[in-house]
């Protein structure tokens, strides 16, 4: 439909506002706002270094995003002017999550998860994981619990109000995958030990794990029937039974998958691969509906507009 060229790689996943503005970031150090209908530029904001964090849109429209210049930014959605920034101890590649009370949660390469006030960026608390927080972005449970993965091989559950630890679970590798929360509170998350885990959200006990053929940095997506979809560096997209972890199907692409699947309203699974293609797969049996060839590896997670348009970098 359209394409928009930035000055660098686009690892970021786009965020689409209710009024149709598309926000994303690029390795050219910028945060972008585009008209989703035609791809025209509304504004861009220049940070101090590469940006791979995906923007989060606050209830008032404020855009929150991290950058590898160590800062977390709050930008005005209409103009792109900076409202505030908060400096962490290292690069921010994790994408912010917004709590029901407006608290901004985001991880940093300095090994910490931060909770910031949306109004002014003041720190409410931070929690040290003991290892860098890279791609893993926080997920927030219905009770306000914040779940995050770390490169010290662990998954954490924290009290969203004060940052105290509820539980931790040790995997056998870095956890760059972001947690997905099932309707029953189950936490699904991948690890560099080649496994996808299903953990009890209340106490962190393992329900099951599934062994893929390589690292799992892709974040899971959960279908309406509870099916869990994710990709692996073994080139495959997997569909698992959310209750048992039994494999329903797998689909092989031509290269590693770091992108996370998204599910369309008709159940179509959209996912990018390092083979330069975006795939649309049937959620029931994994057969390919179509693929779209780009000029580079796809790390970005697609976003789906209300009219079914798919946006990705």
């Amino acid at each position: 439909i359209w394409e928009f060229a930035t000055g660098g790689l686009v690892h970021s996943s786009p965020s689409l506002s209710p009024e149709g503005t598309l926000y994303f970031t690029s390795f050219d150090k910028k945060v972008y706002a585009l008209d989703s209908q035609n791809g025209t530029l509304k504004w861009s904001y220049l940070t101090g270094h590469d940006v791979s964090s995906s923007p989060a849109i606050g209830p008032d429209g404020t855009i929150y995003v991290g950058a590898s210049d160590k800062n977390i930014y709050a930008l005005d959605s209409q103009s792109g002017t900076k409202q505030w920034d908060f400096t962490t101890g290292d690069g921010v590649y994790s994408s912010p999550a917004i709590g029901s009370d407006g608290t901004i949660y985001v991880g940093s390469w300095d090994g910490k998860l931060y909770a910031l006030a949306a109004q002014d960026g003041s720190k409410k608390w931070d929690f040290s994981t003991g290892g860098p927080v890279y791609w893993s972005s926080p997920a927030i449970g219905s009770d306000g619990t914040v779940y995050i993965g770390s490169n010290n091989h662990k998954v954490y559950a924290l009290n969203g109000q004060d940052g105290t630890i509820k539980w931790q679970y040790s995997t056998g590798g870095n956890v760059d995958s972001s947690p997905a929360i099932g309707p029953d509170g189950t936490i699904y998350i991948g690890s560099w030990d080649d496994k996808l885990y299903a953990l009890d959200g209340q106490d962190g006990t393992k329900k099951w794990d599934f062994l893929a053929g390589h690292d799992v940095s892709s974040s899971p997506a959960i279908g309406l029937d509870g099916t869990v979809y994710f990709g692996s560096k073994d080139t495959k997209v997997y569909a698992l039974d959310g209750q048992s972890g039994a494999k329903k199907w797998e689909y092989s692409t031509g290269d590693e998958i770091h992108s996370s699947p998204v599910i369309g309203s008709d159940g179509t699974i959209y996912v990018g691969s390092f083979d330069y293609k975006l795939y649309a797969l049937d959620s029931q049996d994994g057969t390919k509906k179509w693929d779209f060839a780009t000029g580079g590896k796809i790390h970005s997670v697609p976003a789906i507009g209300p009219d079914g348009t798919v946006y990705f970098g």
Side-chain angles (χ1 to χ4, degrees):
I1 298 177
W2 56 257
E3 60 180 46
F4 177 88
T6 75
L9 301 178
V10 182
H11 277 200
S12 165
S13 305
S15 299
L16 186 63
S17 74
E19 74 273 7
T21 302
L22 198 70
Y23 303 97
F24 70 99
T25 68
S26 170
F27 275 33
D28 65 3
K29 307 180 184 179
K30 291 180 180 178
V31 183
Y32 288 92
L34 305 182
D35 186 305
S36 63
Q37 293 302 304
N38 53 31
T40 55
L41 178 68
K42 291 189 170 186
W43 55 257
S44 64
Y45 178 84
L46 182 65
T47 73
H49 212 283
D50 298 346
V51 199
S52 54
S53 172
S54 302
I57 305 173
D60 64 350
T62 302
I63 306 303
Y64 303 97
V65 68
S68 53
D69 65 3
K70 306 182 183 181
N71 290 322
I72 299 159
Y73 294 92
L75 306 176
D76 183 277
S77 60
Q78 297 303 307
S79 63
T81 53
K82 184 177 74 176
Q83 296 182 344
W84 54 256
D85 59 28
F86 176 86
T87 303
T88 74
D90 213 326
V92 181
Y93 310 92
S94 171
S95 303
I98 305 173
S100 57
D101 64 350
T103 301
I104 310 302
Y105 301 98
V106 66
S108 170
W109 189 254
D110 66 7
K112 293 181 178 179
L113 179 77
Y114 291 89
L116 307 178
Q119 294 76 20
D120 58 8
S122 58
K123 185 175 74 176
K124 293 187 171 185
W125 54 259
D126 62 41
F127 174 85
S128 294
T129 69
V133 179
Y134 195 22
W135 297 112
S136 187
S137 300
I140 306 171
S142 56
D143 64 351
T145 301
V146 181
Y147 303 95
I148 189 80
S150 171
N151 278 7
N152 72 337
H153 301 187
K154 291 181 179 178
V155 182
Y156 291 91
L158 307 176
N159 183 307
Q161 293 300 306
D162 58 15
T164 53
I165 189 167
K166 291 190 169 186
W167 55 257
Q168 61 185 30
Y169 180 86
S170 294
T171 75
N174 292 347
V175 183
D176 280 346
S177 171
S178 302
I181 306 174
D184 63 352
T186 300
I187 306 302
Y188 301 98
I189 192 166
S191 171
W192 281 28
D193 62 4
D194 305 351
K195 291 180 179 178
L196 184 87
Y197 290 88
L199 308 176
D200 186 291
Q202 293 302 305
D203 58 16
T205 53
K206 185 176 76 175
K207 294 187 173 185
W208 53 259
D209 60 40
F210 175 85
L211 183 64
H214 207 320
D215 299 341
V216 180
S217 55
S218 170
S219 303
I222 305 170
L224 293 175
D225 63 353
T227 302
V228 180
Y229 305 94
F230 70 99
S232 168
K233 290 183 187 176
D234 67 5
T235 77
K236 293 177 181 177
V237 183
Y238 292 94
L240 308 182
D241 182 289
Q243 292 299 308
S244 66
K247 185 173 71 177
K248 292 187 171 185
W249 54 258
E250 63 181 48
Y251 178 85
S252 293
T253 72
D255 207 334
E256 296 181 1
I257 299 174
H258 294 241
S259 171
S260 304
V262 294
I263 307 170
S265 57
D266 64 350
T268 301
I269 307 299
Y270 302 98
V271 66
S273 171
F274 273 25
D275 68 0
Y276 294 18
K277 291 180 180 177
L278 183 83
Y279 290 87
L281 307 176
D282 187 288
S283 59
Q284 294 303 304
D285 58 12
T287 53
K288 185 176 77 175
K289 293 187 172 185
W290 52 259
D291 61 42
F292 177 82
T294 74
K297 297 176 179 179
I298 302 173
H299 198 290
S300 171
V301 182
I304 305 173
D307 62 352
T309 302
V310 181
Y311 305 93
F312 69 99

